Amino acid sequence: MTSTQTSARAADRPARRPRLPGSGRPWRPRVRRGPGRRPGPWRRGPLLVASALLLGLLLLGHGRITHRGGLGSLVETFLPWCGLFVPVLLAAAWWRRSAAAALALVVPVALWCHLFGGLLGDRSRAGGDLTLVSHNVAAENPDPAGTARELAASGADVLALEELSEQAVGVYEKELARAYPYHTVQGTVGLWSKVPLSHARPVDLHTDVGRLAERRPAAVKLAESRALRTTVATGRGPLTVYVAHLGSVRVTPAAGFWTESRDRNARALGAALAAERSERVVLLGDLNGTVDDGALGGVTARLTSAQDAAGAGFGFSWPRSFPVARIDHILVRGVEPTRAWLLPATASDHLPVAAEISW
């Protein structure tokens, strides 16, 4: 083999890597990763961390949200459903392998449990002197007779109905006459009772304001009254009962979540309750808002929710097909709720609500 051939073969042979001193291992240069290196689990998912903390901030400060444009009412109405964001964010945190996002979710979970965890169990207890039922029967109810029979079958001692249409009042009076010998109807709300009633009168909810209120005849105002007050003569003494149907809320492009009528009615009802001197008071009705809604503060500050005190679960009553909010209420003062529950659906778009009270 010539020297030329030897040199060519050496050139074809791969170069040997230098070895570390005192070691048989070859030396490899350290390669530094560029800026594209994937962050660790505690630095991943900053948007998920921010979302979890914002959800916690919403749950913590929901009561401070302004009511301008009804935003506060909208948030309060669906606040319990904010808990559905937790599993969504948790799944996203797992997918991103973000330990920081998973830890941040502890905040909204703790706050949600603080606000609503107590509503998940059964808070009812034995005993009850009087059974109350309240139901928005819906003016467009296609079967008022069937609705009346179903409500009478509940065995309630006192039955409040809201959104009574002029055409359906006679049907309810006829169907409920046998089970409830005493009743009063004031405009679009009524109360049926197995025990005597007295001092029934409408309650002014300031439904009309300004010049319109001044010009409307008294008979027209009474026909459209949305609240009443009466006294129920129970075996344990008189019980003052209010029935109310506050103004509806509307979602419109111009005003957003519009609550002006409802809020004005709530203030008037709150003033009536503040002036009420009876020790034992019950309010039944469709308030078109939840007990957490600050717009109803004048009412809820003076009365206790039977559902919160003695119910099981959230007690969502509207809409009937898929209830997402509790806007139908039984609120009390001076008596103790022992049980609260929902009755089976009728032909109305609301579910009836029921409660037992004692004193």
Side-chain angles (χ1 to χ4, degrees):
M1 183 181 296
T2 65
S3 59
T4 303
Q5 291 175 332
T6 303
S7 300
R9 186 170 292 182
D12 294 338
R13 199 179 295 141
R16 292 186 178 181
R17 292 180 179 178
R19 297 182 179 273
L20 294 174
S23 172
R25 294 176 299 171
W27 175 82
R28 292 183 176 87
R30 179 176 296 177
V31 179
R32 294 188 178 183
R33 300 192 177 214
R37 183 183 178 186
R38 187 179 183 186
W42 292 101
R43 301 183 65 183
R44 296 175 195 162
L47 291 179
L48 294 176
V49 174
S51 298
L53 294 179
L54 285 175
L55 179 59
L57 185 63
L58 173 64
L59 293 169
L60 178 64
H62 65 95
R64 296 181 178 272
I65 297 176
T66 176
H67 290 273
R68 183 178 180 182
L71 176 61
S73 293
L74 179 62
V75 171
E76 297 291 3
T77 298
F78 300 104
L79 192 65
W81 294 94
C82 288
L84 293 179
F85 289 107
V86 171
V88 174
L89 291 174
L90 184 60
W94 178 85
W95 180 72
R96 291 280 291 134
R97 301 294 192 272
S98 174
L103 182 62
L105 280 171
V106 172
V107 176
V109 168
L111 290 170
W112 191 93
C113 290
H114 172 71
L115 292 171
F116 305 111
L119 300 178
L120 299 179
D122 187 353
R123 301 170 297 283
S124 63
R125 56 188 182 276
D129 299 313
L130 200 70
T131 301
L132 311 168
V133 167
S134 178
H135 189 30
N136 180 326
V137 294
E140 300 82 11
N141 191 318
D143 185 18
T147 298
R149 289 192 293 268
E150 292 176 40
L151 293 173
S154 70
D157 300 300
V158 175
L159 172 63
L161 303 184
E162 304 90 46
E163 206 170 297
L164 292 168
S165 66
E166 184 178 355
Q167 298 78 11
V169 167
V171 176
Y172 287 108
E173 289 176 331
K174 177 182 178 181
E175 295 293 337
L176 295 173
R178 179 176 296 180
Y180 300 94
Y182 309 96
H183 85 281
T184 179
V185 174
Q186 304 289 332
T188 62
V189 295
L191 189 76
W192 278 257
S193 174
K194 293 183 177 181
V195 292
L197 304 176
S198 61
H199 305 98
R201 60 174 175 81
V203 176
D204 184 8
L205 292 185
H206 298 176
T207 301
D208 299 320
V209 293
R211 295 182 178 179
L212 178 63
E214 298 173 357
R215 294 177 179 178
R216 302 191 76 186
V220 175
K221 291 182 179 180
L222 177 60
E224 297 179 356
S225 174
R226 298 170 69 98
L228 66 82
R229 178 198 182 277
T230 189
T231 301
V232 178
T234 74
R236 304 195 60 181
L239 175 69
T240 298
V241 177
Y242 284 77
V243 181
H245 180 201
L246 302 189
S248 300
V249 298
R250 296 283 186 268
V251 179
T252 64
F257 198 69
W258 183 80
T259 62
E260 181 180 341
S261 175
R262 192 279 311 270
D263 295 350
R264 185 171 63 251
N265 293 166
R267 289 191 294 270
L269 181 58
L273 292 170
E276 179 60 61
R277 297 294 176 241
S278 299
E279 294 182 3
R280 293 187 287 267
V281 179
V282 171
L283 168 63
L284 306 106
D286 174 7
L287 304 186
N288 273 310
T290 70
V291 293
D292 296 316
D293 194 329
L296 304 184
V299 175
T300 55
R302 296 177 174 86
L303 302 173
T304 300
S305 167
Q307 177 66 32
D308 286 352
F314 290 95
F316 294 145
S317 61
W318 178 89
R320 175 195 63 189
S321 55
F322 187 78
V324 297
R326 190 201 331 155
I327 62 176
D328 302 278
H329 302 277
I330 297 178
L331 307 177
V332 303
R333 182 180 79 194
V335 297
E336 292 293 330
T338 58
R339 184 181 170 218
W341 68 101
L342 295 168
L343 292 178
T346 69
S348 171
D349 59 339
H350 291 243
L351 292 175
V353 295
E356 290 180 354
I357 60 173
S358 64
W359 64 92

